[in-house]
Amino acid sequence: MDMRFSDAELAFRDEVRTFLREHLPDRLRRAARLTPGAFVDPAIYLEWQAVLHQRGWLAYAWPVEFGGTGWTPIQRYIFERECALAHAPAIGAQGLRMLAPVLCAFGTSGQQERFLPRILSGEHVWCQGYSEPEAGSDLAALRTRAVREGDHYIVDGTKIWTTNAHLSNWIFCLVRTDMAVKPQQGISYLLIDMASPGISVRPIGLISGDRELNQVFFDNVKVPVANRVGEEGQGWTVAKFLLEHERGGGCNAPGLLVALADLRARAATLQCRDAAPLIHDRDFMHRLAIVELEAQGMEMLELRLLGERAEGQSPGPQSALLGLYMANIRQAIDRLSLEALGMAGLTLETARPLYDPALAPPILSDEARAALPAYLNNRAWSIMAGTSEVMRTLIARTMLGLS
Amino acid sequence: MDFQRSDEQRALADSFARFIADQYDAPGRAARLAMPGGFDPQGWRALAELGLVALPLDEADAGLGLGLTDLMVAMEALGPGLLLDPWLPTLIVARLVSRLGDEAQKESWLPGLISGEAVLAFAYTEPQGGQLLSYCATVATKTQGGYVLDGAKMAVLGAGADAVLVLARTGGEVASARGLSLFIISTDQAGLTSRDYRLVDGGGARELRFDGCRIAASTRLGEEGAAFAPVEDAIAEACVALCGEAIGIMDAAMAATIEHLRTRRQFGAALASFQAIQHRMADAAAALELARGVALRAAMLGDDPDTPRAARLIAAFSAKALTARTARHVAEETVQFHGAIGITEELWVGRAMKRLLLIAGLFGDERTMTQRCDVLRREGEAG
């Protein structure tokens, strides 16, 4: 049993570190640190995406035949970890990490040739059309209809919580093509051009002041059948493939550990309740230490699952814990960060981006300005991509056999 | 022993609830939010006209002479509106002017405060002070005919104010409770600069800087160096009012969430039927009931003239502690159970979370409050 990286893996880690040191400007690091939402502005990530693409590292998780780097699962983990430690902007995940694996596995060669290069070049910016007002946790209850008419589908319905739909030019959607079968069996996966007539986008403001989410309306939208990925009625399988594909490869704990290290460092200078440095507040430091330990435990689980995956094994049911950990620990960090700031943390800066040099000087630091929006936005971590309630049921069922 | 609301208290609650229904629906609140500092002068006068400011003031000062229990009833009814009005600084300032002011000062300020025509801000929090009530690095240096103020205040409640009641140090060490004094200063005073901003709930606040700000001796409110105890008393009363407001908001948040859980269906069932959700809602309801009890106790002890000062303060600050803790718990759960829509501006429940977060932090968070109570207990034992 050994948790150390091999010499070759360490050399790779150093290569990544050097690359980041030389090619990730402070300006982009600052933008990433001052982004309280889960998604960095496209202007920021497209710039970083171009740098990675030039190095040949953008499509690192793709199969080699489609432009992937051929990295092992451990190398992929090391790369993501170093990016998290360096505060690299998160790359827009929708096209790169959600659609691309699906196209590689289920797409026609025509679809692969058309769409994959444009994800890499940034020409196509994708958003995800899954959730609907009546289909959140129960996604199979989705109602957006796609009716076949010759070589087109006519799409009618609505998708909601579509992040950055207002900044995207393509959307991948789960739609209902068959009303007569079991819900999961009547779903298909469509790629839709956002410029198609009949599509409209309504922004939805968040309580943080961020404007990431939207509702997208489809009114008699013509979509070529050639834009369907996989067979008709195979959409649910296609979507679930992604969940399986991602299991055991997660690298989320390092980002949490970095945020905790930042908070611990700031505790030396932040005022606590009795106007002494926060580092003397035993109660706060104890609670901080507990959250750090939870994040370390999460990191160990990610490494164990990574090890299983690297050995070619199917990652165990403990992987169901990671979603719950991510929500709980992220939200605990946000609470502590807010608490540490006292009244200064209860200011709400609604101007965006927070890293705009023209913004009025904050009462405290840059990080202080992001703390409250982050707390408010990150309430979404226990809701989006699976609520914590659903996670717990999954854990009980798959890990504990309770049902 | 009687815990029933009186007819007068029921009438009070009704009149404030009607005000909220008329003036503070979503568009009404949004309109106020869009005004400078989130402040609607006309709307504030209308609320003051219902007697909110007069409610706890002595009848000798044209107040209604009612108690903290009545104030809590009013704030519970007003809570769900998520008020943007400067009721909180007005409550504190009016109390301090009433207790400490000379005849001229009372005559200058009380009628306007009671009618809502005069707004005074309350400046005491400082950037370096943590949450210590006695921390004050803003100094008032005595000069010929008055004082010179130097220092900075933050989170000054009362946007749109014509004047500000400032806590400044005329003596003593920076964190000492001794040597603090109060001054009423016009906001267009030379040597006073301000920056307006918004707090988490959208309400207006200010940062103030005093640079060689010269003020007359007549601006001082009460005895020099003796401001701490009256300020602490006024803040304790304000804490009880905030508990009432938070409880009113939490009651509405629970009701909205129960309605949502009954109507929202996923996986072929109403969310209300899922046992895990029922259990957590039960936990939230249980916590809310405890906060309600402790807040009511603080109000009743505060209204009883036989309650010793330390006990009165401890009751108020500890009620604030428990209410703050409960507010965060209930806010997070009620938003969570609404799903994604709970974190958007589309629903009241997300806005309610923001107000509850602010209430939880005002005058010190839950740990500040329990620590303050420990200090008061120790002082009580020593004295």
Side-chain angles (χ1 to χ4, degrees):
Chain A
M1 185 170 297
D2 190 345
M3 65 179 263
R4 289 170 303 178
F5 293 129
S6 70
D7 287 342
E9 286 159 356
L10 288 174
F12 175 72
R13 183 202 67 186
D14 291 341
E15 190 189 348
V16 174
R17 267 192 199 169
T18 303
F19 167 77
L20 290 169
R21 197 171 47 241
E22 289 172 1
H23 296 278
L24 176 59
D26 279 344
R27 179 177 42 86
L28 292 187
R29 291 179 206 247
R30 181 165 182 266
R33 289 177 95 133
L34 292 181
T35 297
F39 303 94
V40 186
D41 279 348
I44 299 295
Y45 79 68
L46 285 172
E47 182 183 336
W48 179 233
Q49 184 168 307
V51 173
L52 287 175
H53 188 28
Q54 194 177 47
R55 183 66 172 83
W57 283 1
L58 180 59
Y60 68 91
W62 295 10
V64 176
E65 60 269 33
F66 293 107
T69 53
W71 289 344
T72 64
I74 290 179
Q75 282 176 306
R76 288 203 293 273
Y77 177 91
I78 288 172
F79 175 73
E80 290 180 18
R81 182 168 188 275
E82 292 305 313
C83 284
L85 296 180
H87 293 286
I91 297 294
Q94 285 95 332
L96 200 73
R97 297 193 61 153
M98 297 185 70
L99 175 60
V102 159
L103 285 176
C104 294
F106 296 95
T108 62
S109 53
Q111 289 168 339
Q112 290 161 353
E113 276 157 30
R114 181 181 179 198
F115 293 111
L116 291 175
R118 291 178 171 83
I119 290 173
L120 294 179
S121 70
E123 182 189 331
H124 285 175
V125 178
W126 287 87
C127 60
Q128 173 201 42
Y130 278 18
S131 294
E132 298 183 1
E134 300 306 311
S137 291
D138 186 7
L139 187 57
L142 66 91
R143 303 209 281 230
T144 296
R145 276 291 269 131
V147 177
R148 181 85 179 247
E149 276 183 20
D151 57 2
H152 280 87
Y153 287 106
I154 308 299
V155 178
D156 277 279
T158 180
K159 293 294 178 186
I160 199 168
W161 318 132
T162 24
T163 305
N164 287 341
H166 61 306
L167 299 169
S168 303
N169 48 26
W170 278 83
I171 182 169
F172 56 89
C173 283
L174 291 177
V175 296
R176 186 161 297 291
T177 38
D178 192 341
M179 303 287 285
V181 296
K182 213 171 78 133
Q184 285 87 340
Q185 285 161 8
I187 293 171
S188 302
Y189 196 108
L190 287 185
L191 307 178
I192 306 179
D193 184 341
M194 290 289 281
S196 310
I199 296 185
S200 55
V201 177
R202 177 181 80 87
I204 299 174
L206 295 174
I207 50 176
S208 59
D210 284 285
R211 313 211 123 252
E212 290 179 348
L213 300 183
N214 300 274
Q215 186 166 8
V216 183
F217 298 92
F218 300 89
D219 183 12
N220 264 0
V221 180
K222 276 175 79 168
V223 181
V225 172
N227 285 14
R228 190 190 69 227
V229 181
E231 298 304 318
E232 199 172 283
Q234 202 189 10
W236 193 250
T237 307
V238 169
K240 284 191 78 169
F241 158 81
L242 198 64
L243 286 171
E244 272 310 303
H245 178 79
E246 295 273 277
R247 260 172 21 106
C251 179
N252 290 301
L256 300 174
L257 287 164
V258 162
L260 285 161
D262 280 352
L263 183 53
R264 185 175 270 279
R266 290 208 309 280
T269 52
L270 277 174
Q271 296 275 310
C272 79
R273 296 168 186 85
D274 56 5
L278 193 55
I279 206 157
H280 297 310
D281 183 335
R282 285 186 193 151
D283 174 67
F284 183 89
M285 295 311 288
H286 167 77
R287 286 180 289 120
L288 176 61
I290 295 295
V291 179
E292 283 169 339
L293 289 165
E294 291 175 354
Q296 269 177 22
M298 180 184 171
E299 184 180 43
M300 288 300 290
L301 179 59
E302 283 186 332
L303 287 171
R304 280 161 50 204
L305 293 170
L306 177 67
E308 283 169 17
R309 197 172 154 156
E311 296 297 307
Q313 292 163 26
S314 186
Q318 290 82 359
S319 54
L321 293 166
L322 291 172
L324 191 62
Y325 290 155
M326 187 66 198
N328 288 352
I329 298 173
R330 181 70 256 174
Q331 291 175 351
I333 296 172
D334 293 329
R335 276 191 211 102
L336 286 173
S337 299
L338 206 54
E339 178 186 337
L341 293 166
M343 271 310 290
L346 294 176
T347 307
L348 185 62
E349 177 64 79
T350 51
R352 293 290 185 274
L354 289 177
Y355 44 86
D356 184 349
L359 280 187
I363 299 166
L364 287 181
S365 63
D366 274 354
E367 276 70 25
R369 185 181 262 166
L372 179 65
Y375 170 89
L376 293 171
N377 282 338
N378 291 340
R379 301 316 302 162
W381 274 104
S382 46
I383 298 170
M384 310 284 198
T387 65
S388 290
E389 289 75 23
V390 166
M391 300 281 168
R392 290 184 185 101
T393 301
L394 202 63
I395 292 163
R397 207 172 283 161
T398 62
M399 210 179 128
L400 307 177
L402 295 170
S403 62
Chain B
M1 169 105 20
D2 182 6
F3 289 97
Q4 298 280 34
R5 284 188 177 181
S6 65
D7 289 340
E8 290 83 2
Q9 285 170 336
R10 268 192 277 270
L12 199 64
D14 283 344
S15 97
F16 286 119
R18 261 199 311 278
F19 177 86
I20 292 303
D22 288 339
Q23 304 283 327
Y24 262 94
D25 56 6
R29 188 177 189 272
R32 281 171 157 78
L33 203 64
M35 295 181 187
F39 173 56
D40 174 7
Q42 237 177 328
W44 170 233
R45 280 198 292 275
L47 183 51
E49 224 160 276
L50 290 181
L52 183 61
V53 184
L55 194 157
L57 292 177
D58 290 344
E59 284 170 296
D61 290 325
L64 297 175
L66 296 177
L68 290 175
T69 34
D70 306 292
L71 184 57
M72 261 191 63
V73 165
M75 291 316 304
E76 272 185 53
L78 289 169
L82 308 178
L83 298 181
L84 294 167
D85 300 278
W87 64 270
L88 185 61
T90 303
L91 188 75
I92 294 169
V93 173
R95 179 64 91 197
L96 289 169
V97 171
S98 160
R99 288 219 173 109
L100 304 176
D102 57 36
E103 282 315 305
Q105 287 167 330
K106 287 196 202 184
E107 215 171 309
S108 281
W109 296 112
L110 285 179
L113 287 169
I114 288 173
S115 71
E117 267 153 25
V119 179
L120 264 75
F122 179 53
Y124 86 100
T125 311
E126 299 197 351
Q128 301 307 316
Q131 295 171 43
L132 260 188
L133 197 45
S134 59
Y135 186 98
C136 187
T138 300
V139 292
T141 312
K142 223 170 176 145
T143 61
Q144 187 86 310
Y147 301 86
V148 178
L149 279 186
D150 286 284
K153 298 288 187 186
M154 61 178 275
V156 176
L157 301 174
D162 314 299
V164 54
L165 181 62
V166 181
L167 189 68
R169 189 166 288 289
T170 40
E173 296 294 314
V174 72
S176 171
R178 281 193 280 265
L180 291 171
S181 306
L182 286 165
F183 302 90
I184 302 182
I185 299 166
S186 160
T187 46
D188 61 10
Q189 185 81 33
L192 167 56
T193 50
S194 68
R195 185 177 81 85
D196 287 342
Y197 64 102
R198 300 291 184 105
L199 296 172
V200 55
D201 64 341
R206 282 184 173 159
E207 280 179 339
L208 297 179
R209 275 200 62 82
F210 304 96
D211 289 303
C213 179
R214 298 189 162 272
I215 53 177
S218 58
T219 63
R220 199 187 70 234
L221 184 73
E223 210 184 303
E224 188 181 284
F228 184 74
V231 165
E232 196 177 31
D233 286 338
I235 286 178
E237 287 169 6
C239 282
V240 175
L242 285 169
C243 288
E245 185 195 4
I247 286 160
I249 296 173
M250 286 191 275
D251 280 338
M254 291 293 285
T257 304
I258 288 165
E259 180 55 32
H260 172 78
L261 292 172
R262 283 187 182 143
T263 51
R264 176 71 172 170
R265 300 182 71 84
Q266 291 284 271
F267 305 108
L271 297 191
S273 68
F274 295 127
Q275 193 178 60
I277 294 181
Q278 291 170 353
H279 286 186
R280 281 165 59 186
M281 285 295 282
D283 283 343
L288 179 49
E289 227 27 65
L290 293 176
R292 192 193 314 278
V294 167
L296 185 59
R297 177 178 176 274
M300 291 171 104
L301 286 177
D303 286 341
D304 183 346
D306 292 336
T307 307
R309 183 174 182 265
R312 180 166 33 91
L313 293 178
I314 288 169
F317 292 141
S318 53
K320 175 68 163 51
L322 191 65
T323 302
R325 184 183 181 82
T326 307
R328 182 188 302 289
H329 173 192
V330 171
E332 290 184 355
E333 292 287 72
T334 52
V335 163
Q336 172 72 10
F337 291 142
H338 275 83
I341 200 169
I343 60 163
T344 70
E345 281 292 350
E346 318 241 305
L347 280 196
W348 175 89
V349 75
R351 296 194 287 277
M353 166 179 262
K354 293 195 283 186
R355 179 64 191 170
L356 287 171
L357 284 178
L358 184 60
I359 292 173
L362 279 170
F363 304 120
D365 64 12
E366 74 180 79
R367 283 168 176 81
T368 299
M369 291 288 160
T370 56
Q371 282 170 27
R372 191 173 291 160
C373 290
D374 285 340
V375 169
L376 285 164
R377 281 187 197 97
R378 279 200 297 275
E379 283 172 359
E381 281 155 24

